[in-house]
Amino acid sequence: MKVPKKISIKEVGPRDGLQNEQVLLSTSDKISWIDMLSVTGLSYIEITSFVHPKWIPPLRDALDVAKGIKRQPGVTYAALVPNRKGLERAISGNIDEAAVFMSASETHNQKNINKPISETLPILKEVITEATEAKLTTRAYLSTVFGCPYEKNVPLEQIVRISETLFEMGIDELSLGDTIGAANPVQVELILETLLNRFPKEKIALHFHNTRGMALANIITAMNMGITSFDGACGGLGGCPYAPGSSGNAATDDLIYMCAQMGIETGVELGKLLLAAKWIEEKTGRQLPSHNLQAAKSIDCFS
Amino acid sequence: MKVPKKISIKEVGPRDGLQNEQVLLSTSDKISWIDMLSVTGLSYIEITSFVHPKWIPPLRDALDVAKGIKRQPGVTYAALVPNRKGLERAISGNIDEAAVFMSASETHNQKNINKPISETLPILKEVITEATEAKLTTRAYLSTVFGCPYEKNVPLEQIVRISETLFEMGIDELSLGDTIGAANPVQVELILETLLNRFPKEKIALHFHNTRGMALANIITAMNMGITSFDGACGGLGGCPYAPGSSGNAATDDLIYMCAQMGIETGVELGKLLLAAKWIEEKTGRQLPSHNLQAAKSIDCFS
């Protein structure tokens, strides 16, 4: 097994996590939580989304959050940006990185963005170009890479073609999303084999959900192929709110624990991250799926 | 990645799972559950433990369970057996395989079995010899291979030496236990590299707990090294009862799902296994940690 010396974790809890929670957090709670995350050693936090408030009401306070947090040196503060208008707000909120998003499958893209892929790409190009001009770095999320809830398997050629287009637009990183949380290690290897033949491994991140318990198995597989950038959510936040035990994003806590055990540097202090996980668990009022959070609670690490 | 065509799953839920649950199941409930498991396609079920009832009161009805279940052809019914007296009861209960157990670390062995390793081995030898004479197959559990709650790391030479002794006694399979649920893929690779140089891979099984979410990552690592026998518990039963969300054994359900997605044969029908998981979840009265069980419930697979 080849494991990297160091990986980079992109904390997406405040955005991907909170946008799926039932409980509406106050703006000041969001700010407090991001401030806690900022001092864990994380070097990247996606703090909110500048989509239109009617799409994701829980994140309608995006600008207040961006303006309210206490920035730490060395931390990149990113936000989701759907279009030029969102980018303007993100820039006024002093965001460091703009993250655009689309799906690899036509149906999911249509349902999620309300446009076909062909009409989505030009909008993303505008955002990426203008963000770059404004000295922001850019990232693109490509959803449904490992399966689509409507179309099942997404052709690999389509994933390659869209990735190519996004890289040509100048994105700094492409995050491949396992939207339905059903990716498996063999599939991860297969898809990465093709993509890594065409794109630099330093520019590819993986975004897994732990819906079927395979997030860390997929991450270990990707690490073994040279990937060093992974998205995670503190506490494993982001599970479907209608299913009490369903797992959301790969838990940053679990990823950090695994890396620490394997001698891989993440820069993050697990103890501090678990405090942030426990804090947000109490706010959401539901048991979060992070294994290390539950293990730490059971051995009373917090008292 | 090299994945096997086929793996064998040793279902340990009725023993390793139930012995850790707070809720006491009635004998007839245990029998009903084992009968459900028997028709899922599982080829191996560890149904109980013939240890002295004062040690594990929830399994004091071992003989009644063994006599009450409806045996299916092609299924090996195994039980934990600590000594000759336990073996006699197991034989009278018509058990197919006797599983002995000990720890790789002295302190854990002493606390768990109340004897030093040196005094444990002769007892295990008796059981293995007599079981073999009685035409039972035998398996040995070696606990704390990946870490001991008292001694932390267990020297690899000690693991090798005890494994060697157990194989010389004639065991058919050695199950290496991640007792504290903290094994990681790099460690799995390291330990297996040494063991597979000395013992046939067909005779080694791995027994992971999902306490830190790494069970499937460890299993994929072991599969890649040629291991094809894995212990699992239906529903992920067996978590510490004092920690509501803590994960127990690797969930058989999650292992089967992952294998099915990767084209690896297990012989088990996931739908039937999930019904058995849902049934035992209702009996235990707590949310079980199996990811696929929770995912299936959330999309209402059972209605």
Side-chain angles (χ1 to χ4, degrees), chain B residues 12-25 30 33 46 49 55-59 80 108 112 179 207 209 211 233 236-243 246-249 284 286 288:
Chain B
V12 299
R15 196 274 307 169
D16 199 9
L18 290 185
Q19 81 179 37
N20 287 306
E21 289 296 328
Q22 286 286 62
V23 177
L24 208 59
L25 250 67
K30 290 178 193 174
W33 188 45
E46 193 178 70
S49 169
W55 291 1
I56 308 178
L59 301 182
L80 216 60
H108 191 269
N112 202 35
T179 310
H207 181 103
H209 286 247
T211 320
L237 209 67
C240 169
Y242 307 105
S246 88
S247 291
N249 285 95
T284 58
R286 68 176 187 105
L288 292 185

Side-chain angles (χ1 to χ4, degrees), chain A residues 12-154:
Chain A
V12 299
R15 196 274 306 170
D16 199 10
L18 290 184
Q19 81 178 37
N20 287 307
E21 289 297 325
Q22 286 285 62
V23 177
L24 209 57
L25 250 66
S26 71
T27 306
S28 71
D29 276 348
K30 290 178 192 174
I31 291 169
S32 299
W33 188 45
I34 295 166
D35 286 349
M36 288 181 82
L37 292 169
S38 280
V39 295
T40 58
L42 281 164
S43 59
Y44 187 104
I45 308 173
E46 194 180 69
I47 59 169
T48 188
S49 170
F50 288 94
V51 297
H52 196 287
K54 81 170 179 207
W55 290 2
I56 308 178
L59 301 181
R60 74 165 76 88
D61 55 2
L63 198 53
D64 297 329
V65 170
K67 287 183 171 169
I69 57 170
K70 193 176 168 199
R71 313 224 168 185
Q72 298 293 335
V75 180
T76 298
Y77 295 92
L80 215 62
V81 168
N83 49 32
R84 290 174 69 177
K85 199 158 175 190
L87 180 64
E88 272 170 37
R89 290 171 70 217
I91 290 172
S92 76
N94 204 20
I95 289 299
D96 303 310
E97 177 160 302
V100 299
F101 56 98
M102 63 176 292
S103 306
S105 54
E106 196 61 72
T107 322
H108 191 267
N109 198 76
Q110 183 70 49
K111 297 219 179 212
N112 202 34
I113 304 186
N114 217 16
K115 285 185 181 59
I117 288 174
S118 59
E119 292 175 26
T120 304
L121 287 167
I123 298 171
L124 267 46
K125 189 175 182 179
E126 270 181 4
V127 174
I128 292 162
T129 306
E130 293 196 13
T132 308
E133 283 168 10
K135 310 278 185 226
L136 275 68
T137 54
T138 56
R139 145 180 265 225
Y141 285 104
L142 189 56
S143 295
T144 66
V145 167
F146 300 92
C148 168
Y150 311 106
E151 300 179 20
K152 297 263 163 95
N153 287 331
V154 181

Side-chain angles (χ1 to χ4, degrees), chain A residues 16 108 143-149 176-185 187-188 207-216 218 238-240 246-250, chain B residues 216 254 257-258 261 291-292 295-296 299:
Chain A
D16 199 10
H108 191 267
S143 295
T144 66
V145 167
F146 300 92
C148 168
L176 306 169
D178 175 22
T179 311
I180 56 171
N184 69 72
Q187 185 191 22
V188 169
H207 180 104
F208 291 116
H209 285 248
N210 201 31
T211 320
R212 271 85 177 180
M214 288 185 280
L216 293 182
N218 290 329
C240 170
S246 87
S247 290
N249 285 94
Chain B
L216 293 182
D254 291 340
Y257 181 87
M258 181 172 81
Q261 295 297 106
H291 293 84
N292 278 278
I299 53 175

Side-chain angles (χ1 to χ4, degrees), chain A residues 170-181:
Chain A
I171 53 165
D172 295 295
E173 185 169 71
L174 175 66
S175 174
L176 306 169
D178 175 22
T179 311
I180 56 171

Side-chain angles (χ1 to χ4, degrees), chain A residues 1 189 212 243 287 292 298, chain B residues 1 189 212 243 245 287 292 298:
Chain A
M1 189 186 306
E189 189 179 62
R212 271 85 177 180
Q287 184 185 293
N292 278 277
S298 78
Chain B
M1 188 186 307
E189 189 177 63
R212 272 87 178 179
Q287 185 184 292
N292 278 278
S298 79

Side-chain angles (χ1 to χ4, degrees), chain A residues 185-200:
Chain A
V186 165
Q187 185 191 22
V188 169
E189 189 179 62
L190 193 80
I191 291 177
L192 282 182
E193 254 165 17
T194 301
L195 293 182
L196 294 179
N197 266 334
R198 293 169 166 265
F199 313 114

